[in-house]
Amino acid sequence: MDSGIALAKKSDIPLMLEFWRNTPEIELGGDDEESLAVFIQRNPSTCLIIRNEDGIIGAVLGGFDGRRAFVYHLAVHSDFRGQGYGKKLLDKLITQFKAFKTEKVHLFVLNNNHAAMTFYVKQGWVKRQDIAVFSYNSKK
Ligand SMILES: CC(C)(COP(=O)(O)OP(=O)(O)OC[C@H]1O[C@@H](n2cnc3c(N)ncnc32)[C@H](O)[C@@H]1OP(=O)(O)O)[C@@H](O)C(=O)NCCC(=O)NCCS
C-alpha cells in the first residue's frame, strides 16, 4: 500500500494492542488478540498501520457492517503527532471505505477527548447533536 501505510495483519496484533494500551485516550473496550483477529479477518482492507523500525507510528481499525462504516482506535504515537500521520491514515481509510459505497462513516469519541474532536472537525466530520449512543450488555 502507498505512503507508508500498510494493511494490518494478524501478526501485527500484539504490537497494535501494546501501542493502543500505551495511548491513554484509546478505550480498548475489552479488545484482545482473539477479537482483533476476527475483526481484521472480517475487514481486511480497512485495518491500517504505519510503522518504522522502532514500532508503530499510527494505526486505525475500520469496520463495515454491510450498511455503515465505523472508525475505531485511530491513534498516532505521541512522538509523531502533528506531522500529518493521523490525517493520512483517516484519508486512506475513507478511500478504502469508498469500495463499499457506504453512505456514511461513523465514529465514537470520549466526551473528554476534545483534542480528537478538534482533529475530526478539521477533517470535515460533523458532531451529531441528534443522536445519543446506547449500549446493551449482551453477555448478561
Ligand atoms: C487525534 C490524532 C490521531 C491526530 O493525529 P495527528 O497525526 O497528530 O494529526 P495530524 O498531524 O494528521 O493533524 C491533521 C490536522 O489536524 C490538526 N490537529 C491534530 N491534532 C490537533 C489537536 N489536538 N488540536 C487541534 N488541531 C489538531 C492539525 O493541526 C492538522 O491541521 P492542518 O491540516 O490544518 O495542519 C492524534 O492526536 C492521537 O493519536 N491522539 C490520541 C488518540 C486519540 O485521541 N484518538 C482518537 C480516538 S477517537
Side-chain angles (χ1 to χ4, degrees), residues 76-91:
V76 171
H77 189 288
S78 52
D79 291 350
F80 294 92
R81 290 188 192 155
Q83 298 176 37
Y85 288 109
K87 177 174 164 35
K88 202 157 110 168
L89 277 167
L90 198 55
D91 286 351

Side-chain angles (χ1 to χ4, degrees), residues 25 74-76 81-84 86-87 108 113 115 118-119 123:
E25 299 91 338
L74 173 68
V76 171
R81 290 188 192 155
Q83 298 176 37
K87 177 174 164 35
F108 305 100
N113 194 350
T118 306
F119 165 80
Q123 309 308 313

